[in-house]
Amino acid sequence: MLNFNVPHVKNSTGEPVWKVLIYDRFGQDIISPLLSVKELRDMGITLHLLLHSDRDPIPDVPAVYFVMPTEENIDRMCQDLRNQLYESYYLNFISAISRSKLEDIANAALAASAVTQVAKVFDQYLNFITLEDDMFVLCNQNKELVSYRAINRPDITDTEMETVMDTIVDSLFCFFVTLGAVPIIRCSRGTAAEMVAVKLDKKLRENLRDARNSLFTGDTLGAGQFSFQRPLLVLVDRNIDLATPLHHTWTYQALVHDVLDFHLNRVNLEETSGVENSPAGARPKRKNKKSYDLTPVDKFWQKHKGSPFPEVAESVQQELESYRAQEDEVKRLKSIMGLEGEDEGAISMLSDNTAKLTSAVSSLPELLEKKRLIDLHTNVATAVLEHIKARKLDVYFEYEEKIMSKTTLDKSLLDIISDPDAGTPEDKMRLFLIYYISTQQAPSEADLEQYKKALTDAGCNLNPLQYIKQWKAFTKMASAPASYGSTTTKSMGLLSRVMNTGSQFVMEGVKNLVLKQQNLPVTRILDNLMEMKSNPETDDYRYFDPKMLRGNDSSVPRNKNPFQEAIVFVVGGGNYIEYQNLVDYIKVDVYTKIQHCPQERLSRITKKGKQGKHILYGCSELFNATQFIKQVKYTFVVCFC
C-alpha cells in the first residue's frame, strides 16, 4: 500500500518515491505497532498526517490515504480533492467502501476536475490491529462498541446487538481475507460467540458463492503460514472464564499491561527523579513522561516477555554487566595504546591492539543500541517492581493460583482483605471475585456478609460482586464452572539476593515464584478441538464450514485429523495472560514430543512448534483487570439503578 499497491522490492537500489501518508485514528492504530517513523521514511513517507488535521497544500507530491469509509472521512477526502491539496491520490479503505460512498467521491472528483488525479482506489481489508506475530485485536478506537459491557448489558436492544455483531464480523472477515484462508468455525452454543459464528459463516459463504469476485479464489492470497491446510477458528465467549481477566499475574508482558500504561505496544512511564531540596513554598516540578516501544525488534523483549518477573530482573542485570565489560574493554584498549596525545604513527605500530580497537569501535553502534535497550528495560522493570513491592502482588498472585487450582490455603482470605498494607482496594476485590468465581460451593449468606463488611471497610466498591453473583447463578444453570487445572506455583523463598551486589533492582522481600504450566479454560478448549478429542466441555460445540454448499450448523466434520493451524478468538475481550498461556502450551508440548521422536524428525518439530502447529490469539478488545472491573461495575449499575 505504501508503495502505491505495487510489491515492494527490498533490494532495490533506487530512491523511493516521496509521498505523504494521510490516515485517520483507525489507520494510525493499525500502522503504529507495525512500522516505526524510520521505517516509514525508508518507504518514502516524508509526512504522516491525520485526515482531520489542518493540512497545507503540497501540490507536487502524491498522497496515500488509509482511512475507514465513514461519512466524515469521505466528506473530508472530497474537500481535499476540491482544494487540490496533492498531485495524485491513492485511496485505501480499511474496510470495504459502499457503492454510494464511492459515487460521492467520484462526483467530487468530477466537480473538482480531479478525476485523473485519483490514481487508485483499494479496499484493503485491514480492519484489525496486529500487536504480535501471533496476536491481534479488533479495534482501539470506539472499542466500547464491542466491549464486554456492550455485549452483556441487560438493556441492549436487538438492533444494537446486531450492530455489535456486524462490527466484530466485519473485522474478522478482513482478518481472513488478509490471511487468505477460509476457516472451519467452531463455537459454543447460546452465547455471543455463536451469533458471531453464524454471521461470519454467512458472510464467507456469500463471498465464496461469486467465484469471479471472491476474495478467496484458490486460497492463494499469500496465505503465508496457512498455505497447506485450512485453519480452525475457535470462537469463545468471555463469560466462559471471568477469573483469568481478574487474575494478578507474574510474567513480564502481562505485568506491564496490568500495572503500567501499556497501549498498542507502547508503555508510558512517569520519570521519578531523586528527592530534590526545593525552596519552601516553591511549585513542585512536573514529572517528565517517557514512552518506550516494546516491539519484536527488541530482542530482549521477545525473549523475556513471557518470563517470570524475577528472571527478567536477573537478565537485565546480566545484560548490564555484559555491556559494562565491553565498555571497559574499549577503554582499556585506548589506555594501552596511549590513544590520547600520540600521533598516528605510534598507534599504527601496535598492530594487534589496533585490530582489537578497530573491532571494538566497529561494534559501537550495536553497543549503543544494547545500552538503549538495557536502559529501557531497567526503567520499565523498576516501575513494575515498585508496584509489586507496594501492593504485594507476589502474595496476591500466589494466593490466587492456589484458589484457582483448589490447593490448600496457608492464610485466611479475610486476613488478606483486612490487611491495610496488602494491596489496593481493587486488588482485594479482584482476589475475592476470583475466590467467589472459582469455589464450587458459594459461601453462606453469613460468611458473605462478613466478606462484604471486610471489603467495604477496605474501601472496595461492591457493584462488581453483585454482577458476578448474578453471572454465576446464570452459568450454574447453563453449565458447570470453568476448571483451572491442578498445578500451581512453587515458591523458592524470598528474593533476598537474586541479583549481584550493586544491582539496579532491590528485590528483597519479593517471593521467587516459579511458574508451572497449566492450561487455562481457553487453552483447554482449543486443545480439545484441535486434537479432535471427545470431551463434555466441547462435544456440543457447533461446526460451520463455509465451503460446504449445503452445509448447516449441525454438520458433522468428516475430517477427523488433528488441525495444524488454529485461531482462538475471544468475543468480549481478551488479555495477555491467555495469550501467554497459549504460547506456553505449544512450547511445553514441543519438549515432551521431542523425547519420543526419532532424531531425523527433531528439526521439523522444533522449527515450527508443537509438531508443526501454529496458533494465533485474537480478541474484540484487550483489557487489563482495572479496565475489566470498571466494565463489570458499570454493567451492574445499568441493570439495578
Side-chain angles (χ1 to χ4, degrees), residues 23-284:
Y23 46 51
D24 60 358
R25 293 289 182 188
F26 291 89
Q28 186 181 37
D29 290 342
I30 292 166
I31 291 172
S32 63
L34 299 175
L35 295 166
S36 66
V37 174
K38 180 184 179 300
E39 287 170 319
L40 286 175
R41 190 156 292 134
D42 291 341
M43 294 179 179
I45 304 295
T46 54
L47 276 175
H48 41 95
L49 304 165
L50 283 167
L51 176 66
H52 293 281
S53 62
D54 294 328
R55 290 175 281 118
D56 296 323
I58 314 176
D60 56 344
V61 172
V64 176
Y65 284 74
F66 184 51
V67 297
M68 286 288 281
T70 62
E71 289 286 351
E72 298 80 11
N73 288 349
I74 299 299
D75 290 345
R76 186 56 187 263
M77 292 165 75
C78 292
Q79 184 182 326
D80 289 356
L81 287 170
R82 286 191 291 269
N83 294 339
Q84 296 286 311
L85 287 189
Y86 307 109
E87 178 189 61
S88 55
Y89 302 83
Y90 294 81
L91 309 182
N92 298 275
F93 296 102
I94 295 169
S95 281
I97 185 172
S98 66
R99 177 66 181 255
S100 62
K101 289 176 182 172
L102 200 57
E103 288 174 355
D104 291 342
I105 296 174
N107 290 331
L110 277 169
S113 300
V115 175
T116 56
Q117 291 174 269
V118 180
K120 290 182 181 179
V121 180
F122 271 85
D123 290 331
Q124 290 291 353
Y125 293 98
L126 288 171
N127 192 12
F128 58 94
I129 299 169
T130 305
L131 296 176
E132 304 280 347
D133 290 343
D134 49 4
M135 181 185 189
F136 70 99
V137 62
L138 291 197
C139 64
N140 178 52
Q141 301 297 319
N142 301 334
K143 61 184 176 185
E144 64 276 0
L145 295 178
V146 294
S147 66
Y148 178 82
R149 177 184 169 268
I151 296 170
N152 291 278
R153 63 189 179 93
D155 63 340
I156 190 169
T157 64
D158 289 347
T159 307
E160 289 172 330
M161 182 59 94
E162 287 288 327
T163 303
V164 172
M165 295 297 109
D166 287 340
T167 304
I168 293 174
V169 168
D170 176 67
S171 291
L172 280 174
F173 181 77
C174 289
F175 175 81
F176 284 105
V177 170
T178 302
L179 203 63
V182 180
I184 303 290
I185 305 171
R186 302 297 303 272
C187 70
S188 54
R189 295 178 182 272
T191 64
E194 183 182 23
M195 296 176 70
V196 172
V198 171
K199 282 180 170 288
L200 182 61
D201 174 66
K202 182 182 177 184
K203 188 157 187 168
L204 289 167
R205 198 177 292 275
E206 286 174 352
N207 188 267
L208 290 167
R209 191 176 296 142
D210 184 358
R212 288 179 301 174
N213 297 315
S214 174
L215 296 161
F216 300 95
T217 305
D219 286 359
T220 57
L221 295 180
Q225 300 143 347
F226 300 107
S227 51
F228 299 111
Q229 186 190 33
R230 290 172 63 194
L232 170 72
L233 171 62
V234 180
L235 290 167
V236 295
D237 193 276
R238 179 70 276 159
N239 283 316
I240 65 159
D241 175 18
L242 292 189
T244 299
L246 297 166
H247 190 15
H248 289 86
T249 183
W250 198 235
T251 55
Y252 191 25
Q253 187 178 41
L255 267 171
V256 169
H257 189 234
D258 190 15
V259 304
L260 302 179
D261 179 12
F262 185 46
H263 183 67
L264 294 178
N265 292 350
R266 174 170 290 182
V267 61
N268 299 305
L269 294 180
E270 283 190 349
E271 276 191 320
T272 51
S273 51
V275 179
E276 297 177 3
N277 296 323
S278 55
R283 183 179 295 177

Side-chain angles (χ1 to χ4, degrees), residues 62 86 148 154 192 312 397 405 429 486 570 580:
Y86 307 109
Y148 178 82
V312 173
F397 170 70
S405 59
M429 177 53 75
S486 57
V570 186
Q580 191 59 49

Side-chain angles (χ1 to χ4, degrees), residues 327-344:
E327 192 179 44
D328 290 343
E329 177 66 10
V330 174
K331 290 177 180 176
R332 187 182 69 82
L333 287 170
K334 279 186 176 182
S335 175
I336 290 173
M337 295 173 65
L339 202 57
E340 288 93 17
E342 294 288 345
D343 60 19
E344 291 184 7

Side-chain angles (χ1 to χ4, degrees), residues 435-436 439-445 472 476:
Y435 163 74
Y436 192 85
T439 182
Q440 294 282 351
Q441 187 67 38
S444 64
E445 282 301 318
K472 188 163 185 181
K476 193 173 182 181

